Amino acid sequence: MKWPWKKNKNQHPVPAEVPDAWDSYPCQVDHASASIFLNMYYAHVAPLASHGHVLWATLQIFDPGEHGMGTQAVADVLNPPEDAITGAAINAGLHYVGRLRNNGEWQLFLYGKEGQLDQLNNILARVMKGQGLEYRSGSKPDPDWSCYTDFLYPDTERHRWMMDFKVVEQLRSHNDPLAVPRVIDHCVVFPGKEGVDEFCSKVQAQGFVTDINERDDEYSPFVLEVRREDPVTLQGIHAVVMEVAGLAEQYGGDYDGLGCSVVSADEVSA
């Protein structure tokens, strides 16, 4: 299931200062490479009934680069006007939710009220004056926030990739030789006993060791520890995660993350 939270119909009002929960991920949009930068916080509150229109501002990427997402030189030029545009838009009562870079375009997405496109256009005209770059804007009704939930928000595979990337980057920050195999602990939860034995049988056939723990939780009383030695290069560990997660889903469970120890260069050379 792509959208992990029930739509709350604005049961939890957004604070005056929106939490900073920005993250990014690579993907494909219209069969072309893309990068999405997203404030993940809004997943907890969308849709906002008071802001039922999605607005966008598209800036020209003057040097698309090999993949159409722009070069570092483009980022150096466009980051300041992006900050100015989105800062002024937020002050005008809009919610800046994300950015898409794809096919030579740098596109900002915001949510606001009917009629706020004029405010956004005034901001764009002021910020982009003298920049020498083309830009355009638009808006449409989106009361369900489908642009955010169904387009910008990562699907299950990309969300897991983001989590795996964070683990790998944390290890890399400790100078971990990622290609060295070590025991990786995967956590899988089940809502009941059904499917647990079948899942264990399948992953054990792939060389995993499993431990089953029961806990006092009506939604996920069965917690499985699934362990195997693997390297933690991003491509490699992500493939393993998707394998375990796919089997968990097949038998009615949910994948709940991984953990492993840091390996030092001294341990490798010893």
Side-chain angles (χ1 to χ4, degrees):
M1 180 176 178
K2 174 173 174 137
W3 188 239
W5 293 281
K6 293 181 180 178
K7 298 193 173 182
N8 59 41
K9 301 304 180 185
N10 206 22
Q11 293 176 353
H12 305 287
V14 178
E17 186 172 341
V18 176
D20 184 358
W22 291 92
D23 211 336
S24 63
Y25 67 97
C27 60
Q28 293 271 313
V29 174
D30 295 332
H31 307 291
S33 297
S35 176
I36 292 178
F37 182 56
L38 191 67
N39 191 338
M40 306 287 283
Y41 168 77
Y42 285 102
H44 298 279
V45 297
L48 298 179
S50 60
H51 291 67
H53 280 66
V54 61
L55 301 89
W56 56 89
T58 305
L59 312 181
Q60 173 194 0
I61 292 181
F62 55 87
D63 181 7
E66 181 182 357
H67 302 292
M69 296 183 289
T71 61
Q72 183 58 50
V74 169
D76 292 341
V77 169
L78 291 184
N79 277 328
E82 175 185 337
D83 291 343
I85 292 165
T86 56
I90 291 169
N91 288 336
L94 292 158
H95 287 275
Y96 174 43
V97 299
R99 179 191 69 212
L100 166 70
R101 292 186 292 126
N102 165 256
N103 265 338
E105 295 184 338
W106 187 288
Q107 194 165 26
L108 313 176
F109 290 90
L110 309 99
Y111 274 89
K113 302 174 183 178
E114 185 176 5
Q116 285 196 291
L117 180 59
D118 287 342
Q119 287 178 289
L120 179 59
N121 283 334
N122 289 336
I123 292 168
L124 283 167
R126 183 175 71 252
V127 173
M128 299 304 291
K129 183 178 181 180
Q131 295 278 354
L133 297 172
E134 295 179 6
Y135 64 89
R136 64 181 188 277
S137 64
S139 71
K140 68 177 181 180
D142 187 14
D144 293 330
W145 278 47
S146 59
C147 179
Y148 181 91
T149 61
D150 298 333
F151 175 57
L152 294 172
Y153 195 83
D155 63 19
T156 300
E157 185 275 331
R158 286 290 85 183
H159 193 268
R160 290 199 175 111
W161 182 92
M162 293 166 73
M163 299 302 103
D164 299 338
F165 177 80
K166 289 180 178 179
V167 171
V168 170
E169 287 303 296
Q170 181 66 24
L171 294 171
R172 196 191 308 275
S173 71
H174 292 282
N175 298 316
D176 186 297
L178 303 172
V180 176
R182 81 287 311 269
V183 175
I184 311 293
D185 292 300
H186 304 268
C187 180
V188 176
V189 296
F190 278 80
K193 182 65 174 174
E194 184 178 358
V196 170
D197 291 340
E198 291 87 348
F199 169 78
C200 288
S201 177
K202 286 291 185 180
V203 293
Q204 287 167 8
Q206 300 300 319
F208 290 93
V209 175
T210 60
D211 288 322
I212 303 173
N213 302 297
E214 293 189 49
R215 64 184 181 183
D216 185 17
D217 186 322
E218 62 177 312
Y219 299 107
S220 53
F222 289 89
V223 180
L224 279 65
E225 296 177 20
V226 182
R227 301 187 302 278
R228 190 178 73 182
E229 281 198 3
D230 283 297
V232 283
T233 57
L234 181 57
Q235 182 177 356
I237 197 59
H238 182 59
V240 173
V241 166
M242 293 307 296
E243 176 186 12
V244 176
L247 287 171
E249 183 177 359
Q250 181 180 342
Y251 292 102
D254 288 310
Y255 186 84
D256 199 35
L258 66 88
C260 67
S261 60
V262 175
V263 172
S264 70
D266 291 340
E267 291 179 76
V268 176
S269 59

